[in-house]
């Protein structure tokens, strides 16, 4: 019975049997050919072999039972409809064999044209073409060339060299100058090339050509370029491709024939108009290959007005039917227009927003659909400045595009020098082997950051993204020499003061100045866009869609911000609070000496003196932030990193002490620091004395911070403002840790707040797997959870995030172990399950428990959808990612409602 079902399974569909909604089965091309057929447009007859047949072939290495017979039956039906037989010697039917996956993969898989030609049928084709021998032999050489390269892996350059030799012998550089005799000679040459590489003659049996071409298209699904493209575009690997067998129509029959590509709107800008290219006396691959120069599509009106008018009518009908920009391929055969393909066209990020707005205005779609058609990745692309690469600028190195944008400035090699030059009005690029927290001031001052080490989650990358700074990390071709204030690359030396340009999107590094274009979208969000530019189609579209996203979303969007300036920027970008204020950043710069005093304190008195000196500084930090947020919630994370991160590196201190001793200088302070660093040294500090552990071990540290937060809130409220502080305890793994900290914190808060009316929530980060698994217990002591997904990912996977990306992630991506780095997008099955468990068990123990996320994933489009699905209340991300999160939160709400209604 099972065998009978396999034989009876339908693997082949005539175009008239399908429609555009069968993309899973017929692929995008086959489904759209069927749709155009159903609309009555002039589509050459043909049939589609399903993706199921492809998957079965790839799984077993042979055709599934029943496929050959179904292909034969549909081929006979096609022959009857066309009145010709495949490869007939007198009047041959020729077909194209084209790939067509569910998702468009342009140029990634195979196509073979003119299948059915052989030594006999080429004569019949010439006769049918009115004695046009040149056309017939040109078609035959194209078949051998495409078949050899696609089906039999004959090196394509050998065919190209043969064509070049033929043109050289003719004294021309134009293919059209080759006559029938030249092309007949090329066919003989191509056959010899084919035989040399395959060990057999070019197949003369038309059905064998067809079967081999179908198999080649199936196999092209797993070709290296197709695999790489799918990985890049996150297309599932198990979909397979359909195969479309279509009766050939010819654009290379003479001046009254041709081929072209048309777009119903400009895919670059979204502007309405006539866009596309046309090439007379050519077949489709000539347009793509750029062998000859095309003419603008509007020239077709002069060349063939009848076909031009028909094409415009079909374009309008297709766009109205698909309710979107359509990309169309067509051929004109002796004045007869044929539609070969349509699909929803790819477009730039700017065009996506503009077209969505236009289609709403035209009544073709509503605002929910417009929101669905754009995405956060496109918005992010629009928000970063970019290089104007209209000249030949060659990069000298390529690292990891860690924080998008384009930045140009003088190379500097220390944080202090970056601050110094920036204060003088100079644009600088901070170049380091790797950055550390002490580089923060220099990173703030610089236009961009360039490191020779690290990955997308290195210190440089994370901090740069948080500030919206352009960053290229892991450019390991750079030999950075900090003491000498220079780096060498590609045989060239770049010294301090030399200008460099870095592209944080592509990771490319350029020497000299590359022109930069600012982002109008960022200027719109910040309110600095010139009045005349606010009516620009892109700006209007972004405003309209963002307004609708805000109206539709359930998730609130907060920002990660550590200063008043960051908080102000976050509000301009639409943040509804601060989800992560990192207090450790407040201990850097001029306050470092006070931190050293705290660390070196020999007893309680010295420790309390150091803490007392830090208290008013911390208080003023929080006053500034609370004022900027004006009553919006501000989640302050108590100090998290190990204290030795605030001290100089062990190696540097050891060298300093040795040099000072050699000179006979007083080294008492340096020796004390060195002893402290050695005492605090940990093999794995990220799993050591940090977070809540630090607060429990160092008396008074958390108490000072809690007091500063409460006093700042009271100060703002008593001055007539509003403050909504939330204190977050980091790295909790057991409820007892939180209970201990909370008990002390509540006493301080009660003492400070008095009758001011200030309410302070106390909660915790869920970033240790044990915390996620015991969330029900922890919720008894927590008024909110905020998921620290950076550390939760690191501990859940057992990865050191500063090491693994550059070390082996590339291999994991190559092998398909990852589709994307789990530090970029939430690992739904593993880390995501921990989030889901903690959310469910936390709310079961404490109904109404406030849930948020403050890791890097809070600004990742796909992750935002997951957090919406899990039921979190808010996401928090860097200020520059806030608009992206707002947009995706709206999209998540619309798509959830759409799936629920279905």
């Amino acid at each position: 019975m099972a065998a009978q079902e396999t034989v009876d399974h339908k693997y082949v569909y005539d175009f008239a049997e399908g429609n555009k909604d069968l993309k899973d089965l017929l692929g995008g091309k086959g489904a759209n050919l069927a749709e155009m057929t159903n609309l009555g447009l002039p589509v050459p007859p043909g049939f589609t072999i399903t993706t199921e047949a492809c998957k079965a072939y790839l799984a077993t290495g042979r055709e599934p039972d029943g496929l050959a017979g179904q292909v034969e039956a549909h081929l006979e039906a096609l022959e009857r409809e066309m009145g010709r037989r495949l490869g007939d010697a007198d009047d041959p039917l020729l077909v194209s064999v084209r790939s067509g996956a569910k998702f468009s993969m342009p140029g990634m898989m195979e196509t073979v044209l003119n299948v059915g030609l052989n030594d006999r049928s080429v004569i019949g084709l010439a006769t049918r073409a009115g004695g046009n021998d040149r056309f017939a032999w040109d078609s035959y050489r194209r078949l051998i060339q495409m078949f050899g390269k696609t089906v039999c892996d004959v090196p394509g350059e050998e065919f190209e060299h043969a064509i070049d030799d033929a043109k050289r012998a003719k004294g021309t550089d134009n293919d059209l100058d080759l006559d029938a005799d030249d092309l007949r000679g090329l066919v003989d040459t191509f056959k010899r090339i084919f035989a040399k590489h395959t060990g057999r003659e070019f197949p003369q049996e038309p059905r064998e050509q067809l079967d081999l071409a179908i198999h080649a298209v199936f196999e092209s699904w797993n070709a290296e370029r197709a695999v790489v493209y799918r990985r890049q575009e996150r297309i599932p690997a198990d979909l397979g491709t359909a195969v479309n067998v279509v009766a050939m129509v010819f654009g290379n029959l003479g001046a009254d024939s041709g081929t072209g590509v048309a777009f119903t709107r400009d895919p670059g800008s979204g502007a309405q108009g006539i866009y596309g290219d046309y090439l007379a006396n050519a077949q489709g691959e000539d347009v793509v290959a750029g062998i000859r120069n095309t003419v603008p599509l509007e020239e077709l009106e002069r060349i063939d007005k009848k076909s031009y008018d028909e094409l415009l009518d079909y374009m309008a009908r297709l766009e109205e039917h698909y309710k979107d920009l359509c990309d169309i391929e067509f051929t004109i055969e002796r004045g007869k227009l044929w539609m070969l393909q349509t699909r929803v066209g790819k477009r730039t990020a700017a065009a996506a927003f503009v077209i969505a707005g236009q289609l709403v205005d035209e009544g073709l779609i509503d605002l929910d659909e417009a929101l669905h058609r754009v995405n956060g990745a496109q918005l992010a692309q629009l928000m970063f400045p970019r290089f104007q690469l209209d000249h030949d600028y060659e990069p000298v190195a390529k690292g990891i595009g860690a924080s998008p944008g384009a930045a140009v400035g003088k190379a500097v090699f220390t944080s202090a020098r970056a601050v110094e030059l920036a204060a003088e009005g100079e644009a600088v690029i901070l170049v380091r082997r790797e950055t550390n927290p002490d580089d923060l001031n220099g990173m703030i001052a610089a236009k961009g950051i360039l490191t020779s080490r690290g990955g997308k989650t290195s210190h440089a990358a994370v901090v740069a993204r948080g500030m919206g700074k352009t960053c290229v990390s892991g450019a390991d071709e750079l030999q950075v020499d900090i003491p000498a204030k220079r780096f060498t690359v590609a045989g060239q030396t770049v010294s301090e003061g030399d200008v460099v340009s870095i592209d944080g999107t592509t990771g490319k590094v350029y020497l000299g100045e590359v022109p930069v274009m600012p982002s109008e979208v960022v200027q719109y969000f910040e309110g600095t866009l010139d009045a005349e530019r606010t009516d620009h189609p892109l700006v209007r579209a972004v405003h309209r869609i963002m307004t609708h996203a805000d109206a539709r979303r359930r998730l609130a969007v907060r920002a990660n911000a550590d200063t008043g300036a960051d908080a102000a920027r976050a509000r301009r970008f639409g943040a509804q609070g601060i989800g992560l204020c990192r207090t450790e950043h407040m201990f850097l710069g001029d306050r470092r000496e006070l931190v050293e005093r705290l660390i070196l304190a020999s007893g309680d008195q010295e420790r309390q003196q150091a803490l007392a000196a830090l208290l008013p500084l911390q208080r003023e930090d929080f006053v500034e932030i609370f004022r900027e947020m004006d009553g919006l919630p501000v989640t302050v994370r108590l100090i998290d990193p190990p204290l030795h991160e605030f001290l100089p590196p062990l190696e540097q201190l050891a060298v300093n002490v040795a040099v000072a001793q050699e000179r006979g200088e007083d080294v008492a302070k340096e020796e004390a620091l060195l002893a402290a660093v050695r005492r605090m040294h940990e093999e794995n500090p990220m799993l050591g004395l940090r977070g809540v552990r630090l607060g429990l071990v160092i008396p008074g540290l958390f108490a000072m911070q809690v007091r500063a937060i409460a006093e700042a809130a009271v100060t703002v409220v008593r001055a007539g403002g509003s403050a909504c502080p939330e204190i977050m305890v980091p790295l909790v793994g057991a409820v007892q840790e939180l209970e201990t900290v909370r008990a002390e914190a509540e006493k301080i808060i009660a003492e400070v707040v008095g009758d001011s009316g200030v309410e302070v929530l106390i909660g915790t980060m869920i970033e240790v797997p044990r915390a996620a698994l015991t969330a029900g217990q922890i919720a008894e002591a927590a008024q909110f959870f905020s998921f620290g997904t950076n550390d939760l990912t690191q501990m859940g996977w057992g990865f050191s995030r500063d090491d693994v990306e550059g070390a082996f992630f590339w291999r994991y991506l190559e092998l398909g172990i990852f589709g994307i780095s789990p530090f970029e997008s939430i690992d739904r099955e593993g880390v995501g399950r921990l989030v889901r468990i903690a959310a469910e068990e936390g709310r079961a123990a404490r109904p109404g428990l406030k849930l948020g996320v403050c890791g890097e994933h809070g600004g990742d489009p796909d992750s935002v959808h997951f957090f919406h699905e899990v039921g979190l209340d808010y996401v928090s991300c860097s200020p520059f990612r806030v608009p992206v999160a707002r947009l995706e939160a709206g999209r998540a709400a619309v798509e959830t409602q759409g799936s629920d209604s279905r």
Side-chain angles (χ1 to χ4, degrees):
M1 184 64 182
Q4 185 62 39
E5 288 175 353
T6 301
V7 173
D8 290 344
H9 191 87
K10 186 173 177 62
Y11 287 117
V12 185
Y13 286 71
D14 185 84
F15 290 164
E17 296 179 288
N19 61 66
K20 66 181 177 65
D21 297 323
L22 294 179
K23 288 186 174 68
D24 284 326
L25 188 65
L26 304 180
K29 187 174 295 181
N32 289 325
L33 284 169
E35 192 73 11
M36 287 197 295
T37 299
N38 296 336
L39 289 172
L41 272 57
V43 175
F47 54 87
T48 299
I49 303 170
T50 67
T51 56
E52 292 180 348
C54 173
K55 288 185 281 188
Y57 177 88
L58 294 176
T60 64
R62 63 180 184 85
E63 290 186 1
D65 293 342
L67 177 59
Q70 292 180 39
V71 169
E72 184 67 31
H74 279 78
L75 178 61
E76 290 174 357
L78 177 60
E79 290 174 332
R80 288 193 297 272
E81 183 174 358
M82 298 298 294
R84 296 193 292 274
R85 295 188 61 215
L86 183 69
D88 182 76
D90 298 320
D91 188 11
L93 168 67
L94 305 183
V95 297
S96 63
V97 180
R98 300 173 180 267
S99 62
K102 176 182 179 180
F103 299 105
S104 177
M105 296 172 57
M108 295 301 110
M109 291 181 294
E110 304 298 358
T111 292
V112 184
L113 304 182
N114 305 327
V115 170
L117 271 178
N118 56 28
D119 292 348
R120 294 189 307 150
S121 59
V122 67
I123 307 302
L125 181 64
T127 303
R128 193 178 110 223
N132 190 338
D133 288 352
R134 185 195 185 282
F135 153 73
W137 288 101
D138 184 42
S139 298
Y140 195 14
R141 70 91 186 164
R142 289 173 188 266
L143 169 63
I144 301 170
Q145 182 174 1
M146 296 182 79
F147 191 96
K149 181 171 179 286
T150 297
V151 179
C152 299
D153 296 322
V154 178
E157 58 269 19
E158 293 216 23
F159 295 120
E160 295 297 336
H161 292 332
I163 295 173
D164 291 340
D165 290 344
K167 289 190 291 187
R168 197 175 300 112
K170 192 78 170 181
T172 183
D173 58 5
N174 190 334
D175 290 6
L176 294 180
D177 290 333
L178 299 177
D179 60 23
D181 289 336
D182 299 321
L183 292 167
R184 187 181 290 109
L186 259 183
V187 165
D188 290 337
T189 302
F190 280 12
K191 284 182 182 178
R192 288 194 294 272
I193 293 171
F194 183 93
K196 180 180 75 172
H197 285 279
T198 65
R200 61 163 294 181
E201 298 299 316
F202 181 76
Q204 296 293 304
E205 173 54 47
R207 182 58 198 268
E208 182 187 8
Q209 294 177 8
L210 177 60
D211 290 340
L212 290 174
I214 290 169
H215 297 167
V217 173
F218 284 159
E219 291 164 3
S220 70
W221 175 253
N222 285 331
E224 181 179 358
R225 66 188 182 195
V227 171
V228 171
Y229 184 86
R230 287 200 301 273
R231 188 179 299 136
Q232 176 70 25
E233 298 297 318
R234 301 194 205 177
I235 296 172
D238 59 354
L239 298 179
T241 181
V243 180
N244 300 286
V245 179
V246 190
M248 283 294 303
V249 291
F250 297 97
N252 57 335
L253 278 170
D256 60 350
S257 303
T259 189
V261 176
F263 297 91
T264 56
R265 299 174 195 240
D266 184 354
S269 69
Q272 294 170 293
I274 306 302
Y275 297 92
D277 299 301
Y278 180 71
L279 189 58
N281 197 16
Q283 283 193 296
E285 75 270 17
D286 296 335
V287 177
V288 178
I291 294 170
R292 288 189 280 131
N293 291 331
T294 60
V295 298
L297 185 60
E298 51 264 36
E299 280 290 298
L300 181 59
E301 183 176 23
R302 178 185 58 80
I303 297 169
D304 184 349
K305 184 168 180 10
K306 174 177 172 293
S307 295
Y308 178 77
D309 290 342
E310 288 178 357
L311 178 63
L312 292 192
D313 176 55
Y314 299 153
M315 288 169 65
R317 287 172 61 185
L318 286 170
E319 183 173 270
E320 183 174 0
H321 182 73
Y322 281 87
K323 304 182 189 303
D324 207 343
L325 160 72
C326 289
D327 171 357
I328 296 161
E329 295 179 17
F330 66 93
T331 283
I332 299 172
E333 179 181 294
R334 289 185 169 167
K336 166 67 175 174
L337 174 65
W338 293 96
M339 305 293 281
L340 303 186
Q341 179 176 331
T342 192
R343 60 190 170 201
V344 171
K346 293 185 179 294
R347 66 208 71 185
T348 64
F353 278 86
V354 170
I355 291 171
Q358 290 171 345
L359 295 174
V360 172
D361 290 337
E362 294 165 24
L364 291 175
I365 63 174
D366 60 18
L367 276 168
D368 276 359
E369 179 63 22
L371 180 56
H372 174 71
R373 290 191 182 183
V374 297
N375 60 55
Q378 292 168 329
L379 181 60
Q381 190 177 339
L382 295 173
M383 289 182 63
F384 287 97
R386 61 191 186 278
F387 285 134
Q388 188 172 339
L389 295 170
D390 49 5
H391 297 290
D392 292 331
Y393 294 98
E394 286 295 324
V396 294
K398 188 175 188 301
I400 296 170
S403 182
V408 179
K410 293 182 177 179
V412 295
F413 295 84
T414 66
S415 179
R417 185 59 172 159
V419 172
E420 181 183 344
L421 287 183
E424 297 172 4
E426 296 279 5
V428 298
I429 302 295
L430 179 61
V431 183
R432 304 285 287 166
R433 280 192 289 269
E434 56 194 349
T435 62
N436 59 59
D438 205 36
D439 288 319
L440 185 63
N441 288 336
M443 297 173 76
I444 292 171
K447 295 294 183 183
I449 298 104
L450 171 62
T451 70
S452 60
R453 300 176 185 167
K456 278 196 172 183
T457 52
S458 63
H459 176 269
V462 172
V463 175
R465 282 196 294 272
M467 295 189 296
K469 294 278 184 182
T470 298
C471 177
V472 172
S473 60
D476 54 13
E477 297 160 89
L478 273 59
Q479 301 299 315
V480 179
D481 187 340
I482 299 297
K485 299 179 182 178
R486 69 187 180 207
F487 70 80
T488 56
V489 62
Q492 302 182 69
T493 299
V494 175
S495 301
E496 182 174 279
D498 293 341
V499 174
V500 295
S501 302
I502 61 172
D503 188 330
T505 302
T506 65
K508 293 179 180 178
V509 180
Y510 302 86
L511 301 187
E513 181 174 353
V514 179
V516 176
M517 302 171 62
S519 165
E520 288 182 327
V521 172
V522 167
Q523 292 174 328
Y524 152 71
F525 283 126
E526 292 194 318
T528 60
L529 189 64
D530 293 340
E532 63 269 18
R533 299 297 295 167
T534 58
D535 199 42
H536 187 278
L538 174 59
V539 175
R540 281 192 286 112
V542 169
H543 171 76
R544 186 179 194 180
I545 291 172
M546 291 299 298
T547 299
H548 188 64
D550 287 337
R552 297 291 275 120
R553 63 187 167 90
R554 179 190 61 76
L555 276 173
V557 177
R558 300 190 192 181
N560 301 342
D562 309 327
T563 66
D566 284 346
R569 180 182 296 113
R571 290 202 67 179
R572 290 196 298 272
F573 282 135
Q576 297 163 284
I578 292 177
L580 176 62
C581 176
R582 291 159 289 210
T583 55
E584 58 268 15
H585 287 175
M586 302 170 180
F587 287 176
L588 301 174
D590 297 339
R591 304 178 189 181
R592 184 167 187 147
E593 185 177 344
L594 293 175
V595 179
E596 290 180 1
R597 284 172 51 191
L598 174 65
I599 295 170
L600 297 175
S602 59
D604 289 344
Q605 184 176 355
E606 287 187 14
R607 184 183 306 108
Q608 288 305 319
Q609 288 173 347
L611 290 170
L614 283 168
L615 174 63
L617 302 175
Q618 283 262 274
R619 181 172 58 236
E620 287 307 307
D621 292 331
F622 298 131
V623 165
E624 182 185 8
I625 291 171
F626 292 151
R627 281 176 177 159
E628 288 291 351
M629 298 314 291
D630 192 26
L632 294 175
V634 177
T635 303
V636 181
R637 182 179 73 185
L638 302 181
I639 189 167
D640 183 36
L643 284 180
H644 69 76
E645 285 198 8
F646 301 98
L647 298 177
L650 176 63
E651 296 81 0
Q652 179 184 328
L653 274 173
V655 170
N656 291 347
V657 168
V659 170
Q661 287 175 334
E662 182 71 22
R663 294 172 178 170
E665 299 173 355
D666 181 9
V667 294
K669 180 181 177 182
E670 286 74 13
E671 285 180 332
L673 275 175
L674 179 58
V677 170
R678 283 176 172 156
R679 185 175 68 250
M680 295 178 180
H681 177 73
E682 297 173 300
E683 291 299 327
N684 192 340
M686 296 310 292
L687 298 178
L689 184 59
R690 54 171 287 220
V692 67
R693 305 159 193 169
L694 198 62
L696 294 176
V697 169
I698 300 183
L701 178 58
F702 276 9
M704 178 274 292
Q705 292 195 295
V706 170
R707 183 174 295 276
I709 293 166
E711 288 180 356
V714 171
T715 299
V716 170
V717 169
R718 294 202 188 285
S722 182
C724 184
E726 301 175 347
I727 294 174
M728 182 160 67
V729 183
L731 214 72
V732 165
V735 66
Q736 294 87 350
E737 293 172 315
L738 181 59
E739 288 171 340
T740 304
V741 172
R742 181 173 176 175
E744 182 182 20
E746 286 179 334
K747 290 177 183 177
I748 297 169
I749 292 167
E751 172 195 332
V752 173
V753 166
D755 61 356
S756 66
V758 171
E759 292 186 15
V760 183
L761 299 183
I762 300 176
T764 185
M765 291 185 81
I766 301 294
E767 52 189 334
V768 177
R770 189 181 189 281
L773 296 173
T774 60
Q777 298 174 24
I778 293 175
E780 299 287 351
Q783 293 171 289
F784 66 87
F785 285 171
S786 181
F787 291 94
T789 52
N790 295 350
D791 272 342
L792 194 58
T793 298
Q794 180 171 236
M795 296 187 204
W797 276 91
F799 288 152
S800 169
R801 67 186 183 212
D802 287 335
D803 300 320
V804 294
E805 284 200 320
F808 63 82
F809 268 27
W810 62 272
R811 181 60 174 159
Y812 272 40
L813 290 165
E814 186 179 81
L815 293 171
I817 296 170
F818 296 150
I820 186 172
S821 164
F823 289 112
E824 287 186 54
S825 192
I826 193 77
D827 159 32
R828 292 182 177 228
E829 291 79 16
V831 176
R833 188 171 179 215
L834 291 173
V835 172
R836 191 183 296 273
I837 289 169
E840 292 173 354
E841 295 189 2
R843 281 189 170 152
R846 183 187 286 264
L849 178 71
K850 185 187 295 187
L851 300 175
V853 61
C854 60
E856 286 282 291
H857 299 101
D860 169 66
D862 186 62
S863 301
V864 171
H865 286 247
F866 173 76
F867 298 135
H868 171 91
E869 174 190 324
V870 172
L872 269 56
D873 296 301
Y874 69 86
V875 296
S876 188
C877 54
S878 67
F880 278 80
R881 299 291 290 182
V882 165
V884 172
R886 288 166 52 201
L887 181 74
E888 289 296 345
R891 294 182 72 236
V894 166
E895 290 170 12
T896 299
Q897 183 185 55
S899 63
D900 290 345
S901 65
R902 288 193 291 271

